[in-house]
Amino acid sequence: MIVFSPGVIKLFGEHAVVYGKPAIAAAIDRGVRVKCSRSDRAVVRAGRAQVYVEYDVERREAKAIGEEGEKFLSYVLTALRIAEAELGPLKAVFELEGDFPPSVGAATSAATSVGVIRAYAACLGVGLEKEELAKLGHRVELEVQGAASPMDTAVSAIGGLLKITPSPFSYEKINPPMKELALVLLPRRGLTKDIVADVRALRSRHRSVDAVIDAIGEVVEEAWQCLKGGDLKCVGELMEVNNWLLGALGVVGDDVVALLRYLKPFIYGGKISGAGRGGVVVLLPKRGEIAEALAELGLPTYIVRIDELGARAL
Ligand code: MEV
């Protein structure tokens, strides 16, 4: 039995969502696959170029190669512990495979947390509502990271293009007006947890930073209307506005600005997606030739579609 849990691209509102503002994000057709088979031993295996983890639950032996592997392992183990506490015991072999390296800002940690819990439930033969899955996935992120909004885990669990209100949690889903998004992966400088802490520290030093966060909240509301109306020119322009506001929070590097300038003829707009300081840049492409322009970059790039279904057994 294999579960697919989608990665998540943040279109509007990251960072401000940590302070209660709404945000808009989309589940995409690349993410994490979790295979679960019942067995007399409980084992987790995960691997694919960037990360390698092997864990034997009974022998309590874990092998994670590199810092990335260790981080990844903590999400898997926390997800298994929460699944066991909520759903009951299970002995199974879990195998994980991700499309993106962890920590690039494509919500691999959220997709892993959600995917492991969904696979655990499926292997055990119990049902799990999407909203409940979102909640359990968020608990994993909170335990491992200390602080996280419910956005990434909710979008991976539920799927589609969503506007999230973080607390009390609620969401609205619409049919996406765009067919595809383009992603460019820039080298990442820092972990989400540390970047979120830096923004928090900046906010505590300057009252005016609240005005930037409020402005991001307003961009989200306006962008939601543009998305509902299918006005991609408006969506793209507001992505750029959101990106400059994120720049004011200190999370957008010169490399992003240069990239957006270079790709301008091919896109309605673009911005960082997620915590920033490198990582994923999301672009709203205008027309097909963007593939050639992306190939010229010499960076990892992806054309992705929005995944409407969220985490599910394949
Ligand atoms: C990370 O994907 C997005 C942030 O807003 C943090 C969060 O929502 O927890 C930067």
Side-chain angles (χ1 to χ4, degrees), residues 206-233:
H206 306 287
R207 256 182 310 134
S208 52
V209 170
D210 275 338
V212 178
I213 288 167
D214 288 347
I216 293 177
E218 283 184 35
V219 170
V220 170
E221 297 296 357
E222 200 181 343
W224 191 240
Q225 296 313 317
C226 302
L227 283 162
K228 277 179 161 172
D231 185 347
L232 295 184
K233 190 163 175 281

Side-chain angles (χ1 to χ4, degrees), residues 6-297:
V8 178
I9 293 304
K10 274 64 75 170
L11 287 169
F12 295 95
E14 58 271 80
H15 285 292
V17 71
V18 174
Y19 305 99
K21 302 292 174 196
I24 301 171
I28 56 169
D29 58 1
R30 284 168 192 258
V32 174
R33 273 164 297 280
V34 184
K35 187 172 171 203
C36 173
S37 347
R38 292 189 86 125
S39 152
D40 55 347
R41 286 171 70 218
V43 176
V44 179
R45 278 192 208 109
R48 187 165 169 159
Q50 309 89 354
V51 198
Y52 184 79
V53 177
E54 190 161 323
Y55 181 72
D56 185 324
V57 177
E58 276 172 5
R59 294 186 194 160
R60 296 188 177 274
E61 283 171 5
K63 193 167 68 176
I65 297 173
E67 205 183 306
E68 295 286 298
E70 276 160 34
K71 231 184 110 235
F72 190 74
L73 182 64
S74 56
Y75 287 98
V76 175
L77 297 182
T78 307
L80 288 175
R81 187 165 41 70
I82 288 178
E84 183 169 24
E86 294 295 323
L87 307 171
L90 167 74
K91 277 191 180 169
V93 174
F94 289 88
E95 288 172 77
L96 283 88
E97 191 183 71
D99 293 323
F100 298 109
S103 312
V104 296
T108 301
S109 62
T112 298
S113 309
V114 163
V116 167
I117 295 173
R118 182 68 185 76
Y120 193 102
C123 224
L124 201 58
V126 301
L128 199 53
E129 293 292 325
K130 285 184 181 297
E131 281 77 7
E132 184 58 21
L133 177 60
K135 218 183 280 169
L136 295 179
H138 186 215
R139 258 174 64 191
V140 178
E141 290 230 300
L142 282 177
E143 278 196 31
V144 178
Q145 285 168 214
S149 79
M151 169 173 62
D152 288 353
T153 38
V155 178
S156 183
I158 295 162
L161 175 61
L162 304 186
K163 180 177 153 206
I164 297 290
T165 304
S167 110
F169 174 77
S170 66
Y171 69 90
E172 218 183 301
K173 186 170 178 170
I174 53 166
N175 277 334
M178 68 286 264
K179 279 206 186 74
E180 292 174 337
L181 294 168
L183 310 180
V184 178
L185 295 194
L186 292 172
R188 189 85 192 269
R189 302 176 297 276
L191 298 173
T192 297
K193 182 163 98 6
D194 300 330
I195 301 168
V196 167
D198 284 352
V199 171
R200 190 180 298 280
L202 183 73
R203 180 172 177 258
S204 69
R205 287 197 298 277
H206 306 287
R207 256 182 310 134
S208 52
V209 170
D210 275 338
V212 178
I213 288 167
D214 288 347
I216 293 177
E218 283 184 35
V219 170
V220 170
E221 297 296 357
E222 200 181 343
W224 191 240
Q225 296 313 317
C226 302
L227 283 162
K228 277 179 161 172
D231 185 347
L232 295 184
K233 190 163 175 281
C234 170
V235 174
E237 240 167 41
L238 288 174
M239 284 168 83
E240 304 271 341
V241 173
N242 194 163
N243 197 56
W244 289 113
L245 290 168
L246 286 162
L249 298 180
V251 299
V252 179
D254 294 346
D255 46 357
V256 179
V257 176
L259 180 73
L260 293 178
R261 191 177 308 131
Y262 166 71
L263 291 171
K264 202 166 178 56
F266 309 103
I267 59 174
Y268 291 108
K271 60 182 273 297
I272 62 159
S273 167
R277 301 215 175 125
V280 175
V281 175
V282 54
L283 309 162
L284 186 56
K286 255 185 199 165
R287 45 179 194 253
E289 300 108 80
I290 194 169
E292 272 170 47
L294 292 178
E296 299 277 300
L297 291 173

